[in-house]
Amino acid sequence: MIALPSGASVAQYTPNDSVRAQKQDNVIDIERRSTDTDTVIEILSEGIPAEQRSPLSAQDVTLGLMSVEDALNAIITEQRNSADNATEQFIDAIVVQMTGTSDDSASPDDVSLDIPDLALFEDSSHSSDSDSFIQRGQIILKYLGEQLGKLLNNEFEGDLGRWAANLTISGLRTGLVTGTLTVIRQLVGFALEKTLQSNAASPLTRSVIGVVAQSIGPLLNILGAIRDECNGTANAETRMARSITLAVSAMALTAAVIVPTALPALASFSTQMAFYTFAQDLVNLFFPTGDNAKPNPGGTAAAGALNAMFQFLSFTGMNYTAPHSGPGYVMAQGRTPPASEPESFAFQLSAWVEQQANTPFDANLPIEARAAQIVESLTPILKDDAARGGYNGAADVLGQVILGQVMHTLQENPSEEGFRVNSISARIPTAEQVANQFLSTNAIRTSIGQIITATVIAASRFFSDLPISKEMVDHMVNTVVAMVVFVVRPGTTYVNARTAAPKNP
C-alpha cells in the first residue's frame, strides 16, 4: 500500500482529469504571495550562520519549491503506474473521501483493505471486548511471570519482597529436601531396627555396628583436615572448626560407651543419621544453596543460640506429637519390660492386639515371644514420620533465613542489598567440589548429626534411671541437645572458610 506523502496535494493521486484540474487550480501562486515567500526565506535563514548565508530572492525560493513539487509528482506518478488495480481503487477512494467529490469509478463501499498482520493493531482502542479481555489477561500473566521470576531470583529491592523471596527459596529448596529426607530417614531406621530385632542381633553385634556408624563423621573430618593441610588451604578458622567438632564427637561416643545399653541402640540410630546426612549433601552437590552472609564471631554465637532454641522446640514437638517413628518406635514396642513396668508392656501388647484383631492370640506365649511377634507385625506410622519431617524442615528453613539474617547483620560490612538466600540453581560438580562437599561440609554435618544422636540416646538412658517423670526426662534431654548444638556451631560456620590454594610457580 502506498502512503500519502506529507504536504503533497491530494489531487496528485486522482487518475481522472477533473481531479487533476482541481489540483492545478489549488497550486500556490508564489508570485502573488510574496509575503509568504519572504517568511519561508526568513525561516530557512534562521538555521544558517550569518557568515554562510547567501541572499535568496523570492524567485529562487519559488523555483526551488517547484522543483521539489515536480520531483514528488514524478515519484507518485511512477508508483501509481506500477500499482495494481486494487491499490489504485483504494487510492481513488481515499481521494474521494478527502476532497468530498463524487466519482462513480471509485466508490469507498467497493474498496476492501486486507491487513496481513493483525498484531499491528493489538493496542487499538477499536478492538472488540473479547480481544480487550485477552489483552488484559496477557498483561496480567506477563506481570505475574515477571514478579515470580524476581521472587525466585531474589531480585526484589524492598525488605518485604526480600524476606518473601528468602522464605520462598529456602522453603522450596531446603524445606522440601529436609522434610522429604527426614521421612525417608525414619523409614530406613524403622526397617533397620526391625531387621536387627527380628534376627535377634546380639548386643555385641549391635555395638560394633553402632561404633562403625558413629565413626563415619569423625573419620571424614580427619581426612578433610589432612587434605586442607596438604593443599595449603587450612587456616586458624578451619582448624578450630574441625577440632571442636572432633572433640565433641569423641565425647559423645564416650558417653554412649559409658552409659549401659546406649551403644547397642546406636546401631540403627547412627546408621539412619549417616544415610540422612549423605543424602542431603548429595542433593547439595548438584543443587547448591547459600547466601551472602559472611562468618563472624558475634553472628556465630547468636546463630548458635537461636539454632539451639529451634532444635529444642523441634525435638519437643516430635516427642509429644510424633512419638511413633523410626527405630525408637520399634524399640519401645519390642522392649522386654522389667518387673516394675508390667502396665507399660500391657499397654504395648494391647495396642498390638488392636492392630492384629483378626489374628488369633495365644495367651500362653512367653513375654519374649510376644515381643518378637509385636516387632514382626509392626508397620510404619507415616503420619508421625511426616510430622517429624515437617518439624525438621521448618527448623531448617527458619535456621537458614533467621540465622543467616543475624549473621549478615553482625558482620563487619553488611551488604547494602540486605541478606539474601541464593536462588535455586543446578550444576555438574567438579572433582574439587565433590571433595569439598564430602570432606568438609558432609564431614561436619555427619559428625554433628551423630553427636546429637549419641547425646539423645545416652542422656535418655541415663536420666531414665533417675526417679523423675518421663516429661522431665524429655525436657532434660532436649536441653542437653540444645547445649551441644550451640557448642558445635563454629564447626558448621567456619569449616569452609578455607584460604585460596597457593599457585604453582
Side-chain angles (χ1 to χ4, degrees), residues 274-352:
F275 163 82
Y276 170 74
T277 56
F278 271 86
Q280 240 187 358
D281 280 287
L282 188 62
V283 173
N284 291 340
L285 188 61
F286 291 93
F287 302 95
T289 183
D291 51 57
N292 61 346
K294 297 180 180 179
N296 59 88
T300 301
L306 289 174
N307 192 32
M309 180 185 68
F310 291 151
Q311 294 301 324
F312 178 89
L313 295 175
S314 175
F315 274 87
T316 302
M318 293 179 188
N319 289 342
Y320 288 97
T321 63
H324 305 307
S325 177
Y329 175 47
V330 181
M331 290 179 181
Q333 296 299 312
R335 181 170 59 94
T336 303
S340 59
E341 297 183 1
E343 297 83 9
S344 175
F345 184 77
F347 173 79
Q348 297 171 13
L349 188 58
S350 63
W352 170 74

Side-chain angles (χ1 to χ4, degrees), residues 13 33 35 37 41 62 88 155 171 184 187 212 215 222 246 265 282 284 292 301 304 323 334 336 449 484 493 495 499:
Y13 296 89
R33 298 183 183 183
T35 303
T37 302
I41 294 174
T62 301
E88 193 166 349
E155 296 175 347
I184 299 174
L187 294 175
V212 172
S215 302
I222 294 172
L246 186 60
L282 188 62
N284 291 340
N292 61 346
T336 303
V484 170
T493 304
V495 69
T499 56

Side-chain angles (χ1 to χ4, degrees), residues 63 115 125-126 152 158 165 185 191 258 298 356 397 424 450:
L63 293 175
I115 303 176
S125 60
H126 300 286
L152 296 179
R185 178 193 72 187
I258 293 176
Q356 304 294 323
V397 170
I424 301 174
Q450 293 172 337

Side-chain angles (χ1 to χ4, degrees), residues 476-495:
M476 294 175 67
V477 170
N478 293 339
T479 301
V480 173
V481 171
M483 294 171 60
V484 170
V485 168
F486 174 79
V487 171
V488 298
R489 184 66 190 182
T492 305
T493 304
Y494 288 101
V495 69

Side-chain angles (χ1 to χ4, degrees), residues 30-42:
I30 302 297
E31 296 178 353
R32 292 185 301 171
R33 298 183 183 183
S34 58
T35 303
D36 293 341
T37 302
D38 295 338
T39 303
V40 172
I41 294 174
E42 293 177 0

